[in-house]
């Protein structure tokens, strides 16, 4: 009896198993459209370099290589060739300049109670040569009151290995007088000096050297160059104390003023007695 009951129970379970499996399959939610369409398969299998058809959403738009910023450190280093073009009339200036040099002008006026006024004006060119060398050439006209006129030509060469030290040699030639009834011969000057400068916000320094001059009116002489200066915007502002120091030394050593004019001699304190003539 018990054996028959067991067999009947097994047959009932086997008959109800397909019905229970179908109920469980119907209870699981189905994902509609979960398969890949032919268009999706085509887009996934085509090469990446080919353009993608269709419109992409803003979040999926691709950045082109040209739109990606390049780090300046990885940009190709192209050598910078200096522009040799001459700016004849640049804005805000009246004299031409170029990459390695410029043209400048100057004028001045001075007075003396003995010789009257002296006016001069001229222009020059400053040019750099490589990293350390530069030269300067200029020409000017001089008017010595109402007496005579002269012209002068000057030049200098400077070697400056750094901004704290430089060496300069220079020369100047003055022509014979012209345009006047007074005939004055030519003159010249030449010399050299070294420059020492400090490393401060407002650089100051000193020029030390010597020069030799010849003037047809006063003769020739040699004097030291002792010129303290302040460098303002690349220009030296200073005064040469060398002639003053030399004149003071000559005055103390010889008792004269040092400028060729001797003081009036004083009479001796005790005059010798002169015997009367017979």
């Amino acid at each position: 009896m018990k054996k028959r009951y067991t067999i009947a129970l097994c047959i009932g379970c086997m008959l109800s198993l397909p019905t229970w499996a179908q109920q469980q399959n119907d209870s699981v939610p189905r994902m509609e459209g979960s398969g890949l369409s032919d268009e999706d398969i085509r887009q996934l299998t085509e090469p990446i370099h080919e353009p993608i058809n269709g419109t992409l959403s803003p979040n999926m738009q691709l950045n082109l290589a040209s739109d990606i910023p390049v780090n300046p450190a990885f940009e190709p280093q192209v050598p910078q060739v200096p522009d040799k073009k001459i700016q004849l009339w640049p804005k805000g200036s009246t004299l031409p300049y170029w990459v390695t040099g410029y043209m400048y002008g100057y004028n001045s006026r001075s007075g003396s109670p003995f010789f009257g006024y002296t006016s001069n004006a001229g222009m020059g060119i400053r040019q750099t040569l490589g990293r350390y060398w530069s030269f300067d050439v200029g020409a000017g006209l001089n008017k010595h009151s109402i007496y005579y006129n002269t012209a002068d030509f000057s030049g200098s060469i400077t070697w400056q290995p750094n901004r704290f030290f430089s060496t300069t040699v220079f020369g100047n030639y003055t022509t014979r007088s012209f345009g006047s009834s007074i005939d004055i011969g030519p003159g010249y000057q030449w010399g050299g000096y070294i420059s020492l400068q400090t490393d401060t916000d407002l650089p100051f320094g000193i020029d030390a050297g010597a020069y030799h001059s010849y003037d047809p009116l006063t003769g020739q002489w040699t004097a030291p160059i002792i010129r303290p200066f302040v460098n303002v915007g690349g220009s030296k502002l200073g005064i040469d104390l060398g002639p003053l120091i030399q004149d003071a030394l000559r005055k103390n050593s010889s008792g004269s003023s040092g400028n060729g004019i001797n003081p009036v001699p004083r009479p001796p304190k005790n005059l010798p007695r002169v015997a009367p003539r017979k």
Side-chain angles (χ1 to χ4, degrees):
M1 184 70 182
K2 184 181 295 187
K3 184 177 180 180
R4 292 179 180 177
Y5 177 77
T6 303
I7 294 173
L9 182 61
C10 292
I11 294 172
C13 291
M14 293 177 64
L15 294 175
S16 62
L17 181 61
T19 304
W20 178 83
Q22 182 67 28
Q23 292 177 356
Q24 293 298 325
N25 187 27
D26 295 340
S27 64
V28 176
R30 295 181 179 273
M31 296 180 64
E32 299 294 337
S34 59
L36 296 177
S37 63
D38 296 339
E39 181 66 19
D40 295 335
I41 296 175
R42 187 187 66 79
Q43 293 181 1
L44 292 174
T45 57
E46 67 183 358
I48 194 171
H49 65 271
E50 295 183 0
I52 300 176
N53 296 329
T55 303
L56 300 177
S57 63
N59 296 330
M60 299 177 62
Q61 291 182 359
L62 301 177
N63 292 327
L64 299 178
S66 60
D67 298 335
I68 300 176
V70 180
N71 192 334
F74 298 99
E75 291 182 352
Q77 299 295 327
V78 179
Q80 300 294 331
V81 180
D83 185 9
K84 299 297 183 179
K85 183 179 179 180
I86 298 177
Q87 303 291 335
L88 291 180
W89 303 110
K91 184 178 180 181
S93 176
T94 56
L95 293 175
Y97 67 91
W98 49 96
V99 175
T100 57
Y102 57 89
M103 180 178 290
Y104 62 89
Y106 62 90
N107 66 84
S108 65
R109 182 184 176 94
S110 61
S112 171
F114 297 100
F115 303 102
Y117 71 90
T118 300
S119 300
N120 61 73
M123 61 175 46
I125 295 176
R126 183 173 181 82
Q127 176 70 41
T128 59
L129 300 173
R131 297 181 57 186
Y132 306 130
W133 294 89
S134 64
F135 72 89
D136 193 316
V137 293
L141 297 175
N142 308 308
K143 182 175 179 58
H144 301 267
S145 188
I146 59 175
Y147 303 113
Y148 61 95
N149 307 312
T150 58
D152 62 72
F153 302 92
S154 61
S156 65
I157 299 177
T158 301
W159 177 65
Q160 185 173 4
N162 54 61
R163 60 177 179 172
F164 310 118
F165 172 81
S166 65
T167 302
T168 303
V169 293
F170 63 90
N172 181 76
Y173 176 77
T174 303
T175 64
R176 184 180 294 272
S177 62
F178 59 90
S180 62
S181 58
I182 301 178
D183 185 17
I184 303 296
Y188 61 86
Q189 183 183 89
W190 57 271
Y193 59 89
I194 62 173
S195 298
L196 302 175
Q197 183 173 294
T198 62
D199 184 15
T200 55
D201 295 337
L202 184 61
F204 63 91
I206 187 171
D207 296 335
Y211 68 91
H212 180 80
S213 294
Y214 169 75
D215 185 273
L217 297 179
T218 59
Q220 58 181 342
W221 69 94
T222 301
I225 298 175
I226 304 175
R227 181 169 50 233
F229 64 86
V230 177
N231 195 327
V232 179
S235 300
K236 294 181 179 180
L237 301 180
I239 183 173
D240 189 6
L241 303 178
L244 298 178
I245 297 175
Q246 184 185 41
D247 188 74
L249 294 176
R250 287 180 178 178
K251 183 178 180 179
N252 293 334
S253 61
S254 61
S256 62
S257 61
N259 55 5
I261 303 177
N262 295 323
V264 178
R266 296 180 180 180
K269 295 181 179 180
N270 298 323
L271 296 178
R273 297 180 60 87
V274 180
R277 294 181 179 181
K278 295 183 180 179

